[in-house]
Amino acid sequence: MSAIPSDLNRRAAMASMAVATLLAGLKLWAVISTHSTAMLGSLADTGLDLVASAATLLGVWVAAQPADHNHRFGHGKAEALAAMFQVVLISISALGLAWRAVGRFLGGERVAEAESGVIVSVVAMVATVALLAYQRHVIRQTGSLAISTDNVHYKSDLFLNLAVIAALVLDHYLALGGVDAAFAFGIALWLGWGAWGASQDAIEQLMDHEWPLEKRERFLEVVAQHPELKGLHDLRTRTSGDRDFVQFHVWVDGKMTVTEAHRVMDEIEEKLMEAFPGVEVLIHPDPEGLVNEAPLGARDLLAPGPDGESPALAVQGAPAGEPAT
């Protein structure tokens, strides 16, 4: 019997932590042997891999906890908080590495020896390739976003280890002074850039950023299929961890009974749950033509926008229009 997706994801995460632990130990020995700042940068990245994996596991575990009386919307933002913790660690490491690289460059320090650093980097690349292969297997089985993100990060580690090998060879064997420090400074910039990108995703989730335009368009296409809707407005979307939330108002025939309107809402929710599994939906019915929202939420999103623009753009603050009739 095949393993369930949660077991596969957990095994992949544990494999990632095991590889990071092994490589951290090997790279620490290589740093002591070579005195290479570029290798130190590689060690810092591997150490961050380990801490990031642990923080991600904790964040995912907390985010998976069901809603309670104090957290009625669940705990999904724990993932974003874990990501911000990683960003702080990466930023501090990048600044420290850059400072050390500049100091070594100005001081003219050289690599003591290169063989151990090259060997460790080659071992790291072999272990990384094996981990990437296993992660791809898990991703095909589960489609896990967390494992997919980890897979992308480890792909970049291959280039990082190649950079370390190049720095060691150029500095030690070709006697090009300052190359090791220059490569280390480049690694610090690379770490900083990665921290910036990770912070943007985490901040957007913490700030309840709207769904991407393409996702909102698909959402409106599903809702528009119901024949008894007269329009949709005041659409609000957000994502928390692995959960999506959406709320909106719809215009219906004002002569409908409460029971009839409730039936329509149930039918819309059923279609949305099929297209967006796990989404939490909150729908408020309004009599056709009633507008009691601020201008940002008054526009009918099922009607074509000015000049044929996507109606989903109205979520971003397009001018309000009159409800469809």
Side-chain angles (χ1 to χ4, degrees):
M1 185 175 64
S2 60
I4 60 177
S6 59
D7 287 340
L8 287 173
N9 290 336
R10 186 174 65 252
R11 292 172 189 172
M14 293 304 294
S16 176
M17 293 185 66
V19 169
T21 301
L22 171 64
L23 297 184
L26 291 175
K27 291 180 180 181
L28 176 60
W29 169 72
V31 168
I32 296 174
S33 300
T34 65
H35 298 166
S36 168
T37 311
M39 178 58 75
L40 179 63
S42 182
L43 171 62
D45 181 69
T46 300
L48 290 171
D49 285 345
L50 182 58
V51 174
S53 296
T56 299
L57 281 175
L58 177 61
V60 170
W61 177 79
V62 173
Q65 302 305 304
D68 55 38
H69 290 295
N70 293 321
H71 306 89
R72 301 302 293 270
F73 290 98
H75 302 78
K77 289 186 178 180
E79 288 191 30
L81 292 174
M84 290 303 297
F85 173 71
Q86 297 173 37
V87 166
V88 172
L89 289 180
I90 294 172
S91 300
I92 293 174
S93 297
L95 289 172
L97 180 60
W99 179 267
R100 180 172 175 80
V102 171
R104 283 180 65 91
F105 183 83
L106 296 177
E109 298 181 47
R110 300 292 301 279
V111 171
E113 61 95 5
E115 289 80 3
S116 57
V118 172
I119 292 173
V120 167
S121 295
V122 171
V123 171
M125 293 177 68
V126 172
T128 300
V129 169
L131 176 62
L132 290 172
Y134 181 61
Q135 287 179 329
R136 285 195 297 270
H137 165 71
V138 173
I139 293 168
R140 285 195 296 267
Q141 298 296 319
T142 69
S144 170
L145 178 60
I147 303 303
S148 297
T149 303
D150 205 34
N151 183 263
V152 172
H153 180 73
Y154 271 98
K155 286 179 181 177
S156 66
D157 282 359
L158 290 176
F159 298 100
L160 177 61
N161 285 297
L162 282 174
V164 171
I165 292 174
L168 290 171
V169 170
L170 292 172
D171 189 293
H172 186 69
Y173 294 110
L174 300 182
L176 297 178
V179 171
D180 179 65
F183 270 80
F185 191 81
I187 293 172
L189 292 178
W190 177 80
L191 289 173
W193 178 254
W196 172 259
S199 70
Q200 300 309 296
D201 293 337
I203 290 173
E204 285 195 353
Q205 189 168 129
L206 290 171
M207 293 295 293
D208 290 333
H209 194 275
E210 290 286 338
W211 289 353
L213 178 60
E214 296 78 8
K215 190 173 182 177
R216 295 198 299 271
E217 288 178 334
R218 287 194 294 112
F219 172 86
L220 292 174
E221 289 173 359
V222 174
V223 177
Q225 295 173 5
H226 200 287
E228 295 181 82
L229 287 189
K230 308 299 182 180
L232 180 152
H233 62 114
D234 201 19
L235 172 65
R236 303 181 185 187
T237 61
R238 67 185 181 93
T239 298
S240 181
D242 60 352
R243 298 185 62 192
D244 286 327
F245 296 84
V246 58
Q247 63 186 67
F248 56 95
H249 290 226
V250 293
W251 283 301
V252 295
D253 188 342
K255 297 180 181 179
M256 272 189 175
T257 64
V258 173
T259 300
E260 291 173 332
H262 188 270
R263 171 186 57 79
V264 172
M265 303 305 106
D266 283 345
E267 292 172 356
I268 294 173
E269 286 188 14
E270 183 177 352
K271 291 293 185 181
L272 288 173
M273 291 297 292
E274 291 177 1
F276 301 89
V279 65
E280 183 170 312
V281 181
L282 177 62
I283 309 176
H284 180 86
D286 287 328
E288 182 179 3
L290 175 65
V291 177
N292 56 11
E293 286 75 35
L296 180 61
R299 177 175 171 179
D300 180 12
L301 301 184
L302 299 186
D307 301 322
E309 74 173 16
S310 169
L313 286 172
V315 178
Q316 300 286 13
E322 294 299 323
T325 57

